[in-house]
């Protein structure tokens, strides 16, 4: 089924869709797909469970440069241990973006990963067509320099009580110069790894480096001394 996807004019800068706009497209598409089911994006299921992103890969075949009508298809694409995969295909006459994500089901009563074989609700119809290669975690230790520091604010927190996944991309976007924003627009692949949640008031830093020709951004939670998020930008 094809869905309309909606963005805000503020999701664009003078170069086109902002860095965090691409995962926002995926999230909005998943929301449209799931809103008529007993599941959902960014909501509690049965007052206890919630989908939490672990990783996402975005392949920009043709970029979205202006705010215009755009459509998409998405489907549940199988399970690998506790990781549930979803594919995304977004398009109009001028742009085409594909990708996939892995999520876990979190038991919000104790913030643990749900590992039972059977889901506590009806499983969606499975379509085992994969559009991109996708990993569940980031491996590598690039040399980094710190470029930005901040604190998780009230406006960053979602209904699950932690920093919304799109905020990590906003933190990185806000660390960039205008020249860097333009430079990274020329790359076609974004890989996102959500490693540890951040909570209200946590202090963080954004660091950047390179690894095997790829640009790597890492957000470290200064309060807990843990890696919270990694973004890899490349032409893979």
């Amino acid at each position: 089924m094809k869905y309309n996807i909606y963005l805000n004019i503020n999701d664009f800068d003078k170069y086109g869709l902002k860095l965090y706009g691409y995962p926002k497209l995926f999230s909005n598409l998943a929301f449209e797909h799931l809103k008529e089911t007993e599941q959902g994006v960014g909501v509690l299921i049965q007052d206890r469970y919630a989908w939490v992103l672990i990783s996402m890969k975005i392949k920009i075949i043709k970029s979205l440069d202006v705010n215009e009508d755009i459509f998409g298809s998405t489907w549940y694409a199988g399970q690998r241990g506790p990781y549930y995969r979803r594919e995304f295909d977004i398009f109009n006459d001028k742009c085409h973006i594909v990708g996939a994500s892995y999520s876990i089901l979190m038991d919000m009563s104790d913030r643990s990963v749900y590992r039972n074989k059977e889901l506590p609700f009806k499983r969606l119809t499975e379509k085992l067509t994969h559009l991109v290669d996708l990993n569940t975690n980031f491996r590598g230790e690039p040399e980094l320099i710190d470029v930005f520091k901040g604190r998780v604010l009230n406006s960053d927190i979602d209904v699950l009580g932690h920093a919304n996944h799109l905020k990590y991309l906003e933190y990185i976007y806000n660390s960039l110069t205008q020249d860097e924003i333009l430079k990274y627009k020329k790359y076609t692949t974004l890989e996102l790894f959500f490693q540890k949640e951040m909570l209200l008031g946590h202090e963080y830093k954004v660091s950047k480096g390179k690894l095997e020709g790829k640009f790597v951004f890492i957000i470290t939670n200064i309060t807990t001394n843990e890696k919270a998020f990694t973004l890899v930008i490349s032409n893979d």
Side-chain angles (χ1 to χ4, degrees):
M1 183 174 179
K2 184 172 76 171
Y3 299 91
N4 287 83
I5 311 171
Y6 301 98
L7 290 173
N8 189 292
I9 189 63
N10 294 325
D11 295 323
F12 293 79
D13 56 29
K14 62 184 178 181
Y15 307 115
L17 190 60
K18 292 178 181 177
L19 184 64
Y20 60 81
Y22 287 102
K24 186 174 182 179
L25 280 172
F26 284 20
S27 294
N28 289 358
L29 176 55
F31 174 83
E32 292 297 324
H33 180 229
L34 292 174
K35 69 180 181 181
E36 296 180 356
T37 73
E38 60 180 332
Q39 302 181 39
V41 174
V43 299
L44 279 179
I45 306 167
Q46 300 178 359
D47 296 322
R48 181 170 179 176
Y49 304 103
W51 291 115
V52 176
L53 273 170
I54 294 298
S55 65
M56 178 182 286
K57 187 171 185 178
I58 300 166
K59 183 71 175 177
I60 304 165
I61 300 170
K62 294 182 181 179
S63 63
L64 179 60
D65 297 323
V66 296
N67 190 16
E68 58 188 4
D69 290 342
I70 190 166
F71 310 95
S73 298
T74 183
W75 57 91
Y76 166 58
Q79 180 182 356
R80 175 182 162 191
Y83 304 109
Y84 296 84
R85 180 167 173 142
R86 172 173 290 278
E87 305 297 310
F88 302 88
D89 187 11
I90 294 173
F91 51 86
N92 64 18
D93 291 339
K94 300 176 184 176
C95 84
H96 190 196
I97 304 150
V98 298
S101 67
Y102 274 122
S103 297
I104 59 166
L105 189 65
M106 181 177 284
D107 186 334
M108 299 305 293
S109 65
D110 58 5
R111 304 190 93 79
S112 63
V113 178
Y114 184 88
R115 296 183 182 274
N116 292 347
K117 185 175 181 180
E118 295 300 322
L119 289 171
F121 42 77
K122 184 179 179 181
R123 186 184 293 266
L124 296 176
T125 302
E126 185 176 86
K127 177 183 174 183
L128 294 180
T129 300
H130 293 175
L131 301 178
V132 295
D133 294 329
L134 179 64
N135 296 314
T136 56
N137 54 59
F138 172 76
R139 293 183 176 88
E141 294 292 337
E143 291 190 14
L144 300 169
I145 58 171
D146 299 340
V147 294
F148 187 81
K149 288 186 178 180
R151 182 189 300 268
V152 179
L153 304 176
N154 290 332
S155 58
D156 299 337
I157 301 299
D158 62 20
V159 297
L160 303 182
H162 57 204
N164 182 269
H165 66 282
L166 296 176
K167 289 297 178 179
Y168 296 99
L169 273 294
E170 285 192 37
Y171 300 155
I172 292 172
Y173 179 80
N174 289 334
S175 77
L176 302 177
T177 66
Q178 289 295 302
D179 287 343
E180 287 176 317
I181 290 172
L182 180 58
K183 178 176 74 172
Y184 296 130
K185 285 286 292 182
K186 299 174 183 177
Y187 290 84
T188 59
T189 302
L190 305 177
E191 295 175 86
L192 292 64
F193 301 94
F194 302 88
Q195 292 150 309
K196 289 286 184 179
E197 63 181 351
M198 294 203 299
L199 306 178
L200 180 64
H202 281 179
E203 295 182 343
Y204 64 86
K205 65 178 180 179
V206 178
S207 308
K208 68 178 182 180
K210 290 190 76 173
L211 184 68
E212 298 176 353
K214 301 177 181 181
F215 298 96
V216 179
F217 290 85
I218 292 177
I219 295 178
T220 302
N221 187 329
I222 298 172
T223 303
T224 63
N225 195 31
E226 295 176 311
K227 288 182 181 178
F229 176 78
T230 298
L231 169 68
V232 182
I233 301 176
S234 71
N235 276 325
D236 281 3

